[in-house]
Amino acid sequence: MLKVRIHGIKDGLHDICEDEPVSNILDIMPEFFGDVHFEGKLRKLGNRFTITGFAEAKAKLICDISLEEYEETISSEISISFLQDTVLFNLQKDAIDDPKAERVVHDDDEFFDLTTDIKEQLAVDLPMKRISPELRGKSFEEIYPELAGGNDEKIDDDIIEGDPRWSALKNLKLN
């Protein structure tokens, strides 16, 4: 669990550096391996807390072009604010979870758990299009010149004439 000590700290800016093995984080995306590293700052002002920083973890991904596995470091910016107030905490405990509601913790809480926030943000920052670093910015023709014949090749007439299902392709124009 990625926890930050909040009980008994003084007002001001404090450094945070936490590491946690991925195997200890429940329901994290299966692409991640190794450790999740978080480094940032905790700002305390009265009973208000703000945590800002960066989380990063290594991920094993499969390239969409070459289908080869590669590793990439996924980094996410984390920003969390919350209030330490027992009365408000007890009032919100019975209320339905509202995503717009302010996050409140009990005055007696020793730590604030960053695990869920970091896990969700890292999952969102996984790339949708997964292309290995050595193939990024290259065209299909550069990567597979033997397969890139170009669009101006004509459809083989023997195949079309041999099977009437392909006859509609004879009239296709690829320009």
Short mmCIF file of all heavy atoms in Angstrom, two decimals, residues 62-108:
data_model
loop_
_atom_site.label_atom_id
_atom_site.label_comp_id
_atom_site.label_asym_id
_atom_site.label_seq_id
_atom_site.Cartn_x
_atom_site.Cartn_y
_atom_site.Cartn_z
N ILE A 62 2.37 -5.23 -25.68
CA ILE A 62 2.55 -5.92 -26.95
C ILE A 62 2.32 -4.92 -28.06
O ILE A 62 1.28 -4.26 -28.12
CB ILE A 62 1.59 -7.12 -27.07
CG1 ILE A 62 1.93 -8.15 -25.99
CG2 ILE A 62 1.68 -7.74 -28.46
CD1 ILE A 62 1.02 -9.33 -25.94
N CYS A 63 3.30 -4.79 -28.93
CA CYS A 63 3.26 -3.83 -30.03
C CYS A 63 2.12 -4.19 -30.99
O CYS A 63 1.98 -5.34 -31.39
CB CYS A 63 4.59 -3.81 -30.77
SG CYS A 63 4.64 -2.65 -32.14
N ASP A 64 1.30 -3.19 -31.35
CA ASP A 64 0.19 -3.41 -32.27
C ASP A 64 0.65 -3.67 -33.69
O ASP A 64 -0.09 -4.24 -34.49
CB ASP A 64 -0.74 -2.18 -32.27
CG ASP A 64 -1.49 -2.03 -30.96
OD1 ASP A 64 -1.59 -3.03 -30.22
OD2 ASP A 64 -1.97 -0.92 -30.69
N ILE A 65 1.87 -3.28 -34.03
CA ILE A 65 2.37 -3.45 -35.40
C ILE A 65 3.14 -4.76 -35.55
O ILE A 65 2.87 -5.55 -36.44
CB ILE A 65 3.25 -2.26 -35.81
CG1 ILE A 65 2.39 -0.99 -35.85
CG2 ILE A 65 3.90 -2.50 -37.16
CD1 ILE A 65 3.16 0.28 -36.11
N SER A 66 4.11 -4.97 -34.65
CA SER A 66 4.99 -6.14 -34.80
C SER A 66 4.57 -7.33 -33.94
O SER A 66 5.10 -8.41 -34.11
CB SER A 66 6.42 -5.76 -34.44
OG SER A 66 6.51 -5.44 -33.06
N LEU A 67 3.65 -7.13 -33.01
CA LEU A 67 3.19 -8.15 -32.06
C LEU A 67 4.31 -8.66 -31.16
O LEU A 67 4.22 -9.74 -30.60
CB LEU A 67 2.51 -9.31 -32.78
CG LEU A 67 1.25 -8.95 -33.55
CD1 LEU A 67 0.70 -10.18 -34.25
CD2 LEU A 67 0.21 -8.32 -32.66
N GLU A 68 5.35 -7.85 -31.00
CA GLU A 68 6.44 -8.20 -30.11
C GLU A 68 6.22 -7.52 -28.76
O GLU A 68 5.70 -6.41 -28.68
CB GLU A 68 7.78 -7.76 -30.70
CG GLU A 68 8.15 -8.52 -31.95
CD GLU A 68 9.45 -8.02 -32.56
OE1 GLU A 68 10.10 -7.14 -31.98
OE2 GLU A 68 9.80 -8.54 -33.62
N GLU A 69 6.64 -8.19 -27.70
CA GLU A 69 6.50 -7.63 -26.37
C GLU A 69 7.63 -6.63 -26.11
O GLU A 69 8.78 -6.86 -26.49
CB GLU A 69 6.55 -8.75 -25.34
CG GLU A 69 6.15 -8.31 -23.95
CD GLU A 69 6.07 -9.46 -22.98
OE1 GLU A 69 5.01 -10.12 -22.93
OE2 GLU A 69 7.08 -9.71 -22.29
N TYR A 70 7.30 -5.52 -25.47
CA TYR A 70 8.29 -4.52 -25.10
C TYR A 70 7.93 -3.93 -23.75
O TYR A 70 6.81 -4.07 -23.28
CB TYR A 70 8.42 -3.42 -26.17
CG TYR A 70 7.22 -2.51 -26.29
CD1 TYR A 70 7.21 -1.26 -25.68
CD2 TYR A 70 6.09 -2.89 -27.00
CE1 TYR A 70 6.12 -0.43 -25.77
CE2 TYR A 70 5.00 -2.06 -27.10
CZ TYR A 70 5.02 -0.82 -26.48
OH TYR A 70 3.93 0.00 -26.58
N GLU A 71 8.90 -3.29 -23.13
CA GLU A 71 8.69 -2.67 -21.82
C GLU A 71 8.70 -1.16 -21.97
O GLU A 71 9.47 -0.61 -22.75
CB GLU A 71 9.78 -3.09 -20.85
CG GLU A 71 9.74 -4.54 -20.49
CD GLU A 71 10.86 -4.94 -19.54
OE1 GLU A 71 11.60 -4.06 -19.06
OE2 GLU A 71 11.00 -6.15 -19.30
N GLU A 72 7.82 -0.50 -21.21
CA GLU A 72 7.76 0.95 -21.23
C GLU A 72 7.44 1.44 -19.82
O GLU A 72 6.69 0.81 -19.10
CB GLU A 72 6.69 1.42 -22.21
CG GLU A 72 6.66 2.91 -22.40
CD GLU A 72 5.78 3.34 -23.56
OE1 GLU A 72 5.41 2.50 -24.39
OE2 GLU A 72 5.47 4.53 -23.60
N THR A 73 8.03 2.56 -19.46
CA THR A 73 7.74 3.17 -18.17
C THR A 73 6.54 4.09 -18.33
O THR A 73 6.55 4.99 -19.16
CB THR A 73 8.95 3.95 -17.65
OG1 THR A 73 10.05 3.06 -17.52
CG2 THR A 73 8.65 4.58 -16.30
N ILE A 74 5.50 3.83 -17.56
CA ILE A 74 4.29 4.65 -17.59
C ILE A 74 4.39 5.62 -16.42
O ILE A 74 4.60 5.22 -15.27
CB ILE A 74 3.02 3.78 -17.44
CG1 ILE A 74 2.99 2.67 -18.50
CG2 ILE A 74 1.77 4.63 -17.50
CD1 ILE A 74 2.96 3.13 -19.92
N SER A 75 4.24 6.91 -16.70
CA SER A 75 4.34 7.94 -15.69
C SER A 75 3.06 8.74 -15.65
O SER A 75 2.49 9.05 -16.70
CB SER A 75 5.53 8.85 -16.01
OG SER A 75 5.67 9.84 -15.03
N SER A 76 2.60 9.07 -14.45
CA SER A 76 1.35 9.79 -14.28
C SER A 76 1.51 10.90 -13.25
O SER A 76 2.17 10.71 -12.23
CB SER A 76 0.24 8.86 -13.78
OG SER A 76 -0.02 7.87 -14.71
N GLU A 77 0.88 12.01 -13.54
CA GLU A 77 0.86 13.10 -12.57
C GLU A 77 -0.29 12.85 -11.60
O GLU A 77 -1.40 12.54 -12.00
CB GLU A 77 0.67 14.44 -13.27
CG GLU A 77 0.77 15.61 -12.34
CD GLU A 77 0.69 16.94 -13.06
OE1 GLU A 77 0.62 16.95 -14.29
OE2 GLU A 77 0.68 17.96 -12.35
N ILE A 78 -0.01 12.98 -10.32
CA ILE A 78 -1.00 12.72 -9.27
C ILE A 78 -1.23 14.02 -8.50
O ILE A 78 -0.27 14.68 -8.10
CB ILE A 78 -0.51 11.62 -8.30
CG1 ILE A 78 -0.11 10.34 -9.04
CG2 ILE A 78 -1.55 11.35 -7.23
CD1 ILE A 78 -1.22 9.64 -9.74
N SER A 79 -2.49 14.34 -8.30
CA SER A 79 -2.85 15.51 -7.51
C SER A 79 -4.09 15.17 -6.69
O SER A 79 -5.14 14.87 -7.25
CB SER A 79 -3.12 16.70 -8.43
OG SER A 79 -3.44 17.83 -7.66
N ILE A 80 -3.95 15.22 -5.37
CA ILE A 80 -5.03 14.83 -4.46
C ILE A 80 -5.14 15.88 -3.36
O ILE A 80 -4.12 16.33 -2.83
CB ILE A 80 -4.73 13.47 -3.80
CG1 ILE A 80 -4.49 12.40 -4.86
CG2 ILE A 80 -5.85 13.05 -2.87
CD1 ILE A 80 -3.87 11.14 -4.30
N SER A 81 -6.35 16.26 -3.04
CA SER A 81 -6.55 17.14 -1.90
C SER A 81 -7.64 16.55 -1.01
O SER A 81 -8.59 15.94 -1.50
CB SER A 81 -6.89 18.55 -2.34
OG SER A 81 -8.08 18.56 -3.05
N PHE A 82 -7.50 16.76 0.27
CA PHE A 82 -8.48 16.23 1.22
C PHE A 82 -8.46 17.04 2.50
O PHE A 82 -7.56 17.85 2.74
CB PHE A 82 -8.25 14.74 1.49
CG PHE A 82 -6.89 14.40 2.04
CD1 PHE A 82 -6.69 14.26 3.40
CD2 PHE A 82 -5.82 14.19 1.17
CE1 PHE A 82 -5.45 13.93 3.89
CE2 PHE A 82 -4.58 13.87 1.68
CZ PHE A 82 -4.39 13.73 3.03
N LEU A 83 -9.47 16.82 3.29
CA LEU A 83 -9.68 17.56 4.53
C LEU A 83 -9.68 16.57 5.69
O LEU A 83 -10.22 15.48 5.58
CB LEU A 83 -11.04 18.27 4.44
CG LEU A 83 -11.49 19.14 5.57
CD1 LEU A 83 -10.57 20.35 5.72
CD2 LEU A 83 -12.92 19.62 5.30
N GLN A 84 -9.08 16.98 6.80
CA GLN A 84 -9.06 16.14 8.00
C GLN A 84 -10.06 16.73 8.99
O GLN A 84 -9.81 17.76 9.61
CB GLN A 84 -7.65 16.10 8.59
CG GLN A 84 -7.46 15.06 9.65
CD GLN A 84 -6.01 14.98 10.07
OE1 GLN A 84 -5.30 15.98 10.09
NE2 GLN A 84 -5.57 13.79 10.42
N ASP A 85 -11.24 16.08 9.10
CA ASP A 85 -12.31 16.59 9.94
C ASP A 85 -13.20 15.43 10.37
O ASP A 85 -13.90 14.83 9.56
CB ASP A 85 -13.13 17.62 9.16
CG ASP A 85 -14.18 18.32 10.00
OD1 ASP A 85 -14.48 17.86 11.12
OD2 ASP A 85 -14.71 19.34 9.53
N THR A 86 -13.19 15.10 11.65
CA THR A 86 -13.93 13.95 12.16
C THR A 86 -15.44 14.13 12.03
O THR A 86 -16.14 13.19 11.65
CB THR A 86 -13.56 13.69 13.63
OG1 THR A 86 -12.16 13.47 13.70
CG2 THR A 86 -14.28 12.48 14.18
N VAL A 87 -15.97 15.31 12.33
CA VAL A 87 -17.41 15.54 12.27
C VAL A 87 -17.91 15.35 10.84
O VAL A 87 -18.89 14.64 10.59
CB VAL A 87 -17.78 16.95 12.80
CG1 VAL A 87 -19.25 17.23 12.61
CG2 VAL A 87 -17.37 17.08 14.26
N LEU A 88 -17.25 15.99 9.90
CA LEU A 88 -17.63 15.86 8.50
C LEU A 88 -17.45 14.42 8.01
O LEU A 88 -18.26 13.92 7.23
CB LEU A 88 -16.83 16.83 7.64
CG LEU A 88 -17.26 17.02 6.21
CD1 LEU A 88 -18.72 17.45 6.13
CD2 LEU A 88 -16.38 18.06 5.52
N PHE A 89 -16.40 13.76 8.49
CA PHE A 89 -16.15 12.37 8.13
C PHE A 89 -17.33 11.49 8.56
O PHE A 89 -17.80 10.65 7.80
CB PHE A 89 -14.85 11.88 8.76
CG PHE A 89 -14.55 10.44 8.51
CD1 PHE A 89 -14.01 10.03 7.30
CD2 PHE A 89 -14.80 9.47 9.49
CE1 PHE A 89 -13.72 8.69 7.07
CE2 PHE A 89 -14.51 8.14 9.25
CZ PHE A 89 -13.98 7.75 8.04
N ASN A 90 -17.79 11.68 9.78
CA ASN A 90 -18.92 10.89 10.28
C ASN A 90 -20.21 11.19 9.54
O ASN A 90 -21.03 10.30 9.34
CB ASN A 90 -19.09 11.11 11.78
CG ASN A 90 -17.99 10.47 12.59
OD1 ASN A 90 -17.39 9.48 12.16
ND2 ASN A 90 -17.68 11.05 13.74
N LEU A 91 -20.40 12.43 9.13
CA LEU A 91 -21.60 12.78 8.36
C LEU A 91 -21.56 12.15 6.97
O LEU A 91 -22.57 11.68 6.46
CB LEU A 91 -21.74 14.30 8.24
CG LEU A 91 -22.15 15.04 9.50
CD1 LEU A 91 -22.07 16.54 9.28
CD2 LEU A 91 -23.55 14.63 9.93
N GLN A 92 -20.39 12.15 6.35
CA GLN A 92 -20.26 11.60 4.99
C GLN A 92 -20.22 10.08 4.99
O GLN A 92 -20.47 9.46 3.97
CB GLN A 92 -19.02 12.15 4.30
CG GLN A 92 -19.20 13.54 3.79
CD GLN A 92 -18.04 13.96 2.92
OE1 GLN A 92 -17.02 13.28 2.84
NE2 GLN A 92 -18.20 15.08 2.25
N LYS A 93 -19.89 9.49 6.10
CA LYS A 93 -19.78 8.02 6.16
C LYS A 93 -21.12 7.36 5.82
O LYS A 93 -21.16 6.33 5.18
CB LYS A 93 -19.30 7.60 7.55
CG LYS A 93 -19.05 6.13 7.70
CD LYS A 93 -18.38 5.79 9.01
CE LYS A 93 -19.17 6.26 10.19
NZ LYS A 93 -18.65 5.79 11.48
N ASP A 94 -22.22 7.99 6.25
CA ASP A 94 -23.54 7.44 6.00
C ASP A 94 -24.11 7.86 4.66
O ASP A 94 -25.08 7.28 4.18
CB ASP A 94 -24.50 7.89 7.11
CG ASP A 94 -24.05 7.39 8.47
OD1 ASP A 94 -23.44 6.30 8.51
OD2 ASP A 94 -24.27 8.09 9.47
N ALA A 95 -23.54 8.87 4.04
CA ALA A 95 -24.07 9.37 2.76
C ALA A 95 -23.63 8.47 1.61
O ALA A 95 -22.66 7.72 1.70
CB ALA A 95 -23.58 10.79 2.51
N ILE A 96 -24.36 8.57 0.50
CA ILE A 96 -24.02 7.82 -0.71
C ILE A 96 -22.76 8.45 -1.30
O ILE A 96 -22.58 9.66 -1.28
CB ILE A 96 -25.18 7.88 -1.72
CG1 ILE A 96 -26.42 7.23 -1.11
CG2 ILE A 96 -24.80 7.24 -3.04
CD1 ILE A 96 -27.68 7.40 -1.95
N ASP A 97 -21.89 7.60 -1.87
CA ASP A 97 -20.66 8.10 -2.46
C ASP A 97 -20.96 9.06 -3.60
O ASP A 97 -21.59 8.70 -4.59
CB ASP A 97 -19.81 6.94 -2.99
CG ASP A 97 -19.21 6.11 -1.86
OD1 ASP A 97 -19.05 6.68 -0.76
OD2 ASP A 97 -18.92 4.93 -2.08
N ASP A 98 -20.50 10.28 -3.44
CA ASP A 98 -20.68 11.32 -4.45
C ASP A 98 -19.30 11.68 -4.98
O ASP A 98 -18.43 12.12 -4.21
CB ASP A 98 -21.37 12.54 -3.83
CG ASP A 98 -21.61 13.64 -4.84
OD1 ASP A 98 -21.46 13.39 -6.05
OD2 ASP A 98 -21.96 14.76 -4.41
N PRO A 99 -19.05 11.50 -6.27
CA PRO A 99 -17.72 11.78 -6.80
C PRO A 99 -17.33 13.25 -6.69
O PRO A 99 -16.16 13.59 -6.69
CB PRO A 99 -17.80 11.34 -8.26
CG PRO A 99 -19.23 11.19 -8.57
CD PRO A 99 -19.96 11.00 -7.29
N LYS A 100 -18.32 14.14 -6.55
CA LYS A 100 -18.03 15.57 -6.43
C LYS A 100 -17.80 16.00 -4.98
O LYS A 100 -17.36 17.10 -4.72
CB LYS A 100 -19.18 16.38 -7.02
CG LYS A 100 -19.33 16.19 -8.51
CD LYS A 100 -20.46 17.03 -9.04
CE LYS A 100 -20.63 16.76 -10.53
NZ LYS A 100 -21.75 17.51 -11.07
N ALA A 101 -18.11 15.12 -4.05
CA ALA A 101 -17.94 15.46 -2.64
C ALA A 101 -16.46 15.55 -2.30
O ALA A 101 -15.62 14.84 -2.86
CB ALA A 101 -18.61 14.40 -1.77
N GLU A 102 -16.17 16.42 -1.36
CA GLU A 102 -14.79 16.58 -0.92
C GLU A 102 -14.35 15.34 -0.15
O GLU A 102 -15.12 14.76 0.60
CB GLU A 102 -14.67 17.82 -0.04
CG GLU A 102 -13.25 18.12 0.35
CD GLU A 102 -13.09 19.47 1.00
OE1 GLU A 102 -14.07 20.00 1.54
OE2 GLU A 102 -11.97 19.98 0.97
N ARG A 103 -13.12 14.97 -0.33
CA ARG A 103 -12.59 13.81 0.38
C ARG A 103 -12.25 14.23 1.81
O ARG A 103 -11.59 15.23 2.03
CB ARG A 103 -11.35 13.29 -0.33
CG ARG A 103 -11.70 12.76 -1.71
CD ARG A 103 -10.50 12.47 -2.51
NE ARG A 103 -9.96 11.18 -2.11
CZ ARG A 103 -9.00 10.56 -2.78
NH1 ARG A 103 -8.50 11.09 -3.86
NH2 ARG A 103 -8.55 9.41 -2.36
N VAL A 104 -12.73 13.43 2.74
CA VAL A 104 -12.54 13.75 4.15
C VAL A 104 -11.98 12.52 4.85
O VAL A 104 -12.39 11.39 4.59
CB VAL A 104 -13.90 14.15 4.79
CG1 VAL A 104 -13.71 14.51 6.25
CG2 VAL A 104 -14.53 15.30 4.04
N VAL A 105 -11.03 12.77 5.74
CA VAL A 105 -10.46 11.69 6.56
C VAL A 105 -10.68 12.01 8.03
O VAL A 105 -10.91 13.16 8.40
CB VAL A 105 -8.96 11.47 6.26
CG1 VAL A 105 -8.75 11.03 4.83
CG2 VAL A 105 -8.15 12.71 6.57
N HIS A 106 -10.60 11.01 8.85
CA HIS A 106 -10.78 11.14 10.30
C HIS A 106 -9.55 11.81 10.91
O HIS A 106 -8.43 11.62 10.44
CB HIS A 106 -10.98 9.73 10.90
CG HIS A 106 -11.60 9.73 12.23
ND1 HIS A 106 -10.86 9.93 13.37
CD2 HIS A 106 -12.90 9.58 12.62
CE1 HIS A 106 -11.66 9.88 14.42
NE2 HIS A 106 -12.90 9.67 13.99
N ASP A 107 -9.76 12.56 11.97
CA ASP A 107 -8.64 13.24 12.65
C ASP A 107 -7.62 12.26 13.21
O ASP A 107 -6.43 12.59 13.34
CB ASP A 107 -9.16 14.11 13.81
CG ASP A 107 -9.80 15.40 13.32
OD1 ASP A 107 -9.41 15.90 12.25
OD2 ASP A 107 -10.70 15.90 14.03
N ASP A 108 -8.06 11.06 13.54
CA ASP A 108 -7.16 10.08 14.14
C ASP A 108 -6.44 9.21 13.12
O ASP A 108 -5.63 8.36 13.51
CB ASP A 108 -7.95 9.17 15.09
CG ASP A 108 -8.47 9.93 16.30
OD1 ASP A 108 -7.86 10.97 16.66
OD2 ASP A 108 -9.49 9.50 16.88
#
